[in-house]
Amino acid sequence: MQLYKQAANNFVGGVAAGAGNLISGNRENGVTLEDGGTSSNFVQGNYIGTDASGADVLANRFSGVYVSKGASSNFIGGNAAGAGNVISGNDHDGVVIRDGGSTDNYVQGNLIGTDRDGLGDVPNGGRGVDISFGARLNVIGGASSGDGNVISGNRNEGVRIQGSATAGNIVQGNLIGVDINGDRMPGNSIGVVIREGASGNRIGGTQTGEGNTIADNGGFGILIE
């Protein structure tokens, strides 16, 4: 599914029972949001990369959700009951946000790399979340109840922030490497990576709810290089 060329105010799925889609087995990305003006779209309540049970792989060939070329102010999941997506089992990354104009996108309340219960791993072949090539001011998780994602079980990093102009992104309130209860499960290869000149990004915070749990990953919890 592709929303582009100033597509705005669309809903892919929804929070009501039965509103979500099964977006799996496609030869490219599951959902693509791209181009400036593509904004205020909501991707909620879907299974993206799994089968209908939410427990087994039915991979999209590339990434689960791909945001690029200036798509801004879109919502992948949310903190309302039923808003989160299961974004797991894709051949590449779970969620990608890239390019300098891609700002103010929110990734919240999703299960990225796990099954629908958040207890077992259904790995994405790449990273859980990848923010790169100048993407700015995007939010992964948040401090309010229901904002945080479970980002676990992925073959590569849970979250990667990369590139010299990739700045002002926030990663807060997530479970990275553990299950939905904070217990051990197969983690990511590394929890969070910041590299290649990315600056001014925030992992956690001092206010209630802003801290992440980053545990049980195969290598570093947080790597800045």
Side-chain angles (χ1 to χ4, degrees), residues 139-160:
V139 178
I140 310 303
S144 298
S145 177
D147 282 350
N149 305 281
V150 180
I151 307 172
S152 300
N154 299 288
R155 299 296 188 198
N156 290 330
E157 301 98 332
V159 179
R160 182 182 76 162

Side-chain angles (χ1 to χ4, degrees), residues 50-210:
T50 72
D51 67 2
S53 74
D56 290 308
V57 171
L58 183 55
N60 294 298
R61 184 71 58 85
F62 291 105
S63 296
V65 180
Y66 192 88
V67 181
S68 70
K69 297 182 181 178
S72 300
S73 301
N74 298 288
F75 297 84
I76 312 304
N79 62 17
N85 304 281
V86 179
I87 308 173
S88 302
N90 299 285
D91 281 352
H92 288 195
D93 301 323
V95 178
V96 175
I97 305 174
R98 60 181 296 171
D99 302 328
S102 298
T103 64
D104 298 305
N105 297 288
Y106 289 80
V107 179
Q108 296 177 321
N110 302 289
L111 301 170
I112 304 175
T114 80
D115 63 19
R116 68 177 184 182
D117 298 317
L119 297 173
D121 62 315
V122 183
N124 291 296
R127 301 165 183 91
V129 178
D130 186 54
I131 307 173
S132 59
F133 293 98
R136 302 176 66 251
L137 305 174
N138 300 285
V139 178
I140 310 303
S144 298
S145 177
D147 282 350
N149 305 281
V150 180
I151 307 172
S152 300
N154 299 288
R155 299 296 188 198
N156 290 330
E157 301 98 332
V159 179
R160 182 182 76 162
I161 301 173
Q162 176 171 289
S164 59
T166 305
N169 300 287
I170 296 173
V171 179
Q172 292 179 332
N174 303 287
L175 298 170
I176 302 176
V178 295
D179 71 14
I180 199 168
N181 298 317
D183 296 327
R184 299 191 70 173
M185 68 170 293
N188 310 288
S189 66
I190 296 173
V192 178
V193 173
I194 303 175
R195 59 163 54 114
E196 294 184 10
S199 62
N201 300 285
R202 178 176 296 182
I203 311 301
T206 60
Q207 301 301 311
T208 301
E210 291 182 344

